[in-house]
Amino acid sequence: MLMLSILLSWLPGFGTLIAGVIGGKVTSGVGAALLAALLPGLLVGVLLFFLATLLAGLPLIGIVAGMGALTLVVMQVGALLLGALIGGLLA
């Protein structure tokens, strides 16, 4: 789902929804689809948070930038979860 979300990122809301539906159909169930949707979002959010705090000269500025990136990832995960739920129900 992560790679599909990245490839379909040029479609702002529908790209992640489509990636969630396809990923949900590939997995065999709603629980596995929701887990597969949450893990990439959590991984990318935490990775962006730590990289922003690592690369910023001032740790406080890095924390603020990292929280902004984490917020953007959380906004994308909502559509991915909805698509995973739909795809899991279709499987």
Side-chain angles (χ1 to χ4, degrees), residues 1-9 11-30 32-38 40 76-91:
M1 283 190 205
L2 177 65
M3 292 307 295
L4 282 174
S5 294
I6 292 171
L7 289 174
L8 294 173
S9 64
L11 293 168
F14 297 111
T16 54
L17 184 68
I18 292 169
V21 169
I22 292 172
K25 283 189 69 112
V26 169
T27 61
S28 59
V30 177
L34 292 178
L35 184 65
L38 279 177
Q76 289 291 326
V77 167
L80 192 64
L81 281 173
L82 180 66
L85 180 68
I86 292 169
L89 290 174
L90 290 176

Side-chain angles (χ1 to χ4, degrees), residues 8-81:
L8 294 173
S9 64
W10 57 276
L11 293 168
F14 297 111
T16 54
L17 184 68
I18 292 169
V21 169
I22 292 172
K25 283 189 69 112
V26 169
T27 61
S28 59
V30 177
L34 292 178
L35 184 65
L38 279 177
L39 285 179
L42 186 64
L43 178 72
V44 169
V46 169
L47 182 68
L48 285 174
F49 177 75
F50 283 120
L51 285 177
T53 56
L54 178 71
L55 296 176
L58 299 169
L60 186 61
I61 302 294
I63 289 172
V64 171
M67 291 303 287
L70 187 64
T71 303
L72 291 174
V73 169
V74 166
M75 288 173 26
Q76 289 291 326
V77 167
L80 192 64
L81 281 173

